Amino acid sequence: MLALSANGHLPKADYAIFADTGWEPKAVYDHLDRLEREIATPAGIPVLRVSAGNIRQDALDPEHRFASMPLYILNPDGKPGMTRRQCTGEYKIKPIERQVRNLLGYPYPQRVPKGVFVEQWVGISTDEFHRAKDADVRYMRNRHPLIDLGWSRSDCVRYLSSLGFADTPKSACLGCPFHGNAQWRAIRDTSPEEWRDVVAFDAAIRQGNARANAGGNPLLGQAFLHRSRLPLDQAPIDHVTAAERAARQHEPAVAVDPEELEHGVVDGCSPWACRGEADAEPTRDGFGLAC
């Protein structure tokens, strides 16, 4: 959407906002820097980076209130479970809403007057039109330009490729439990330092978050990053599913979403990002850009 706006195919955006959890892969930060340098700045679109802290550090800090990640739990009786997901709201949605209030000139706790709002563009494609929702606050009104254009995820990939951004990485915490096996493999095989980081974190949260333990409320079971409920460096991440093989045969030139192909949670960790690939797509000429 930023590139479409910068190139005049969508109206010029006033701002782009990136919610930083403090624990993104290095490739994401490098990509964001390049996107700002080559696309946003020449078009005069400021990129605002907002943050509520470093989610990794907060989880391991006994003095810090931690918004729980959706960790996989193995209970003492052997039954599986999951912890509640609070991290998206705390580390992504709230910082964005706080920034929007500031841009409108009504920082919290001021009341935003009725009728004062921003139009927020949400990057949901036609593959997942059912996820297009209204904002949960009245000072933000959601619009879905990719759906308006009739663009699928593959259209987005092809357009980015035409601009030299074919290697656009997925934004998600480095140690997000919603990763699929393909993403865990990619971290292990391409970034040894980040792999050591997530393996160490996985071991560190085995008994839950540090503040709960310090407060005398330890996790009764064990917590894991991988859905197998095994230590990450022992988890069966080398298994390639039939769905992944079929997707590679169907469209080998398009990046494959590991969560969707390897049974990760469809909604993932983001409230707004594109997630799926259509089973069948119409033939398109060019990019179907709207003036």
Side-chain angles (χ1 to χ4, degrees):
M1 292 188 303
L2 180 59
L4 288 169
S5 175
N7 290 328
H9 303 302
L10 289 173
K12 181 182 176 183
D14 295 303
Y15 300 95
I17 301 178
F18 175 74
D20 184 5
T21 66
W23 199 27
E24 295 271 350
K26 181 178 182 298
V28 170
Y29 293 117
D30 290 345
H31 168 74
L32 181 62
D33 290 342
R34 183 188 170 203
L35 192 66
E36 183 173 17
R37 182 174 63 252
E38 298 181 17
I39 301 293
T41 299
I45 302 174
V47 176
L48 308 179
R49 308 186 190 205
V50 298
S51 178
N54 184 302
I55 191 171
R56 187 191 194 283
Q57 293 177 7
D58 293 347
L60 303 180
D61 183 356
E63 301 297 324
H64 195 284
R65 188 189 82 81
F66 176 60
S68 67
M69 300 169 67
L71 301 171
Y72 295 95
I73 303 300
L74 186 63
N75 290 303
D77 60 3
K79 292 182 178 179
M82 287 194 77
T83 55
R84 286 198 309 156
R85 181 182 70 172
Q86 299 174 314
C87 48
T88 299
E90 291 291 329
Y91 287 89
K92 292 187 177 183
I93 296 176
K94 285 186 178 180
I96 290 172
E97 291 180 346
R98 182 168 59 246
Q99 180 65 73
V100 166
R101 290 177 64 98
N102 291 339
L103 292 173
L104 289 173
Y106 298 95
Y108 183 83
Q110 293 186 49
R111 182 182 179 86
V112 180
K114 184 177 181 180
V116 176
F117 63 92
V118 300
E119 179 180 274
Q120 175 177 246
W121 293 358
V122 182
I124 293 176
S125 64
T126 56
D127 310 80
E128 295 186 331
F129 67 90
H130 59 281
R131 296 185 59 217
K133 301 176 182 178
D134 294 331
D136 61 355
V137 292
R138 67 183 185 184
Y139 55 84
M140 298 169 69
R141 296 186 184 178
N142 288 350
R143 180 186 167 194
H144 305 88
L146 300 179
I147 293 178
D148 294 340
L149 290 171
W151 276 28
S152 70
R153 182 181 179 90
S154 293
D155 292 319
C156 297
V157 172
R158 282 190 285 268
Y159 180 60
L160 288 170
S161 298
S162 75
L163 300 177
F165 281 83
D167 58 348
T168 295
K170 175 182 176 296
S171 175
C173 285
L174 191 62
C176 179
F178 286 158
H179 286 343
N181 286 342
Q183 195 155 1
W184 290 125
R185 290 194 300 271
I187 296 172
R188 182 196 62 190
D189 298 342
T190 65
S191 182
E193 182 177 351
E194 291 182 331
W195 177 247
R196 289 191 293 271
D197 183 19
V198 292
V199 167
F201 180 79
D202 174 69
I205 52 85
R206 192 72 71 236
Q207 302 305 319
N209 76 76
R211 180 164 181 176
N213 290 325
N217 297 300
L219 184 69
L220 296 180
Q222 292 183 306
F224 301 87
L225 289 181
H226 193 266
R227 61 178 173 268
S228 66
R229 293 167 177 83
L230 291 171
L232 188 56
D233 56 355
Q234 301 174 31
I237 66 172
D238 286 303
H239 175 63
V240 180
T241 65
E244 184 176 8
R245 287 194 298 271
R248 288 174 176 173
Q249 293 170 1
H250 174 67
E251 193 167 6
V254 176
V256 178
D257 185 337
E259 292 96 340
E260 192 71 18
L261 295 177
E262 298 214 47
H263 312 296
V265 177
V266 174
D267 288 344
C269 63
S270 171
W272 300 309
C274 298
R275 290 285 167 184
E277 191 74 50
D279 294 330
E281 299 186 37
T283 301
R284 293 179 182 274
D285 293 324
F287 296 110
L289 295 175
C291 296

